[in-house]
Amino acid sequence: MQAFFLLKKTVAALVAICVAGFGGWWLGRSGFGLAPAEAPQAALQLRRAPLETKLAKGEATAEEQLQLLKLRLALGDQNGAISLLEPLSDQRPEQWKLRLMLADLRRQQKDQGGAEREIRQVLNVQPLQVEAWQQLSQLQLNQGKGSKVEAQLNKAAVAAKGKPEELTLGLLLADLQQRRQQKQSAENTYRNLINRYPEDPRPLLALALQKQAAGQGEAAVALLREARQRMPEESQLVLDQVAAGWSMKNLQKAAQGPTGNTLRAGAAGLSN
């Protein structure tokens, strides 16, 4: 059973990665940050001190500023990280990940307006930036503005047709529709992507997870098998195992339902 849930999580992770973009969009999530367990706080402070001195004197190089940013984050100094990210983001507008990191830190500090402002700055320059749309969708959904951001994201997805961002923005739109309980709209979006990208397994995987969550096990397994045909051979075993687990779950569910009760009653009659 534990193995089954692990495999199911693997499929979910595959879809999550394709929806989120490429994973690790900000420095702390891409290995840039240092976890406290990796270095004692005192050691981090020792490394931080000379960098802070150089920054105060205006002598810190760009690389040293990034190192200092890493240390401030590792030490939990969000205010310090924000104060450093603000000029860095302005100086390096092409490094949109810095601006999105700044947006996330503002969100963590309950500055929703500030977070949205930073995200919008990225979208003003790169209107199809998937990670920015992901952040904006989550931010506005949390504020009860789901219909507004869905309309905006839908417009972006239409603008992305024929471009590299089309698939990931479409998957993000479907994910948002699901979270807003727009199940049929999400399915329609997935099926449109399946038709437009007949070689890509990701829309099929996402729709399979939706069907499984809705209790439509047979449809979910059929979609997994279809997705399998679009995946490299080394990934097919995972889907085979998940499909087998889902099929077993479907059989167990059927055995507990009206059909199963009828069969058990008939068997009991035969044994009497």
Side-chain angles (χ1 to χ4, degrees):
M1 184 62 72
Q2 185 177 2
F4 160 66
F5 283 116
L6 179 60
L7 290 165
K8 184 176 176 182
K9 284 177 68 176
T10 301
V11 176
L14 288 171
V15 180
I17 289 171
C18 76
V19 170
F22 313 102
W25 53 262
W26 67 283
L27 302 177
R29 295 180 187 172
S30 61
F32 183 84
L34 288 176
E38 295 173 0
Q41 297 285 298
L44 295 177
Q45 290 286 10
L46 284 174
R47 291 169 57 187
R48 175 180 178 173
L51 292 173
E52 293 284 8
T53 301
K54 293 189 76 171
L55 181 69
K57 292 180 178 180
E59 298 174 355
T61 65
E63 182 61 32
E64 286 170 334
Q65 289 181 59
L66 289 176
Q67 286 295 318
L68 179 56
L69 173 61
K70 174 174 63 175
L71 290 166
R72 287 181 179 181
L73 284 169
L75 289 163
D77 183 6
Q78 286 193 347
N79 289 329
I82 288 174
S83 68
L84 191 52
L85 271 170
E86 287 173 336
L88 279 174
S89 299
D90 292 336
Q91 293 163 14
R92 301 181 169 193
E94 74 285 356
Q95 293 192 14
W96 49 266
K97 292 185 179 183
L98 293 173
R99 180 106 23 215
L100 289 186
M101 185 182 183
L102 179 57
D104 193 61
L105 288 171
R106 292 197 190 284
R107 178 194 59 78
Q108 291 180 47
Q109 294 201 332
K110 312 301 181 185
D111 182 7
Q112 310 297 339
E116 182 169 343
R117 183 176 64 250
E118 303 296 349
I119 298 168
R120 294 284 185 191
Q121 286 197 54
V122 174
L123 290 173
N124 286 340
V125 179
Q126 301 183 56
L128 302 182
Q129 203 346 282
V130 177
E131 285 92 337
W133 277 110
Q134 183 190 19
Q135 268 209 54
L136 184 63
S137 298
Q138 187 61 59
L139 186 69
Q140 295 209 326
L141 191 64
N142 291 343
Q143 296 178 50
K145 300 177 182 177
S147 59
K148 177 182 176 182
V149 74
E150 182 180 338
Q152 294 171 338
L153 182 53
N154 185 61
K155 201 175 285 187
V158 171
K161 282 196 173 178
K163 299 178 181 177
E165 298 87 354
E166 179 183 3
L167 177 57
T168 45
L169 282 176
L171 288 166
L172 183 57
L173 173 61
D175 179 66
L176 177 62
Q177 290 167 333
Q178 276 202 76
R179 287 186 288 159
R180 297 191 63 235
Q181 304 303 312
Q182 309 290 335
K183 303 299 184 184
Q184 190 57 54
S185 295
E187 179 169 345
N188 292 342
T189 301
Y190 285 136
R191 291 200 179 279
N192 179 57
L193 293 172
I194 290 166
N195 292 331
R196 287 187 62 80
Y197 292 89
E199 302 300 321
D200 200 299
R202 290 174 290 178
L204 284 162
L205 289 172
L207 184 56
L209 288 172
Q210 178 182 323
K211 292 292 185 184
Q212 181 68 12
Q216 301 175 41
E218 291 184 8
V221 170
L223 287 162
L224 278 187
R225 288 173 177 159
E226 190 176 348
R228 180 187 186 280
Q229 300 172 13
R230 307 183 184 191
M231 298 186 74
E233 187 174 347
E234 61 269 19
S235 302
Q236 291 179 359
L237 178 60
V238 173
L239 287 195
D240 289 343
Q241 292 174 306
V242 174
W246 283 4
S247 296
M248 182 61 68
K249 186 176 181 181
N250 297 337
L251 289 173
Q252 291 171 344
K253 185 176 179 181
Q256 295 167 359
T259 302
N261 293 335
T262 302
L263 289 173
R264 281 191 294 273
L270 289 172
S271 63
N272 291 332

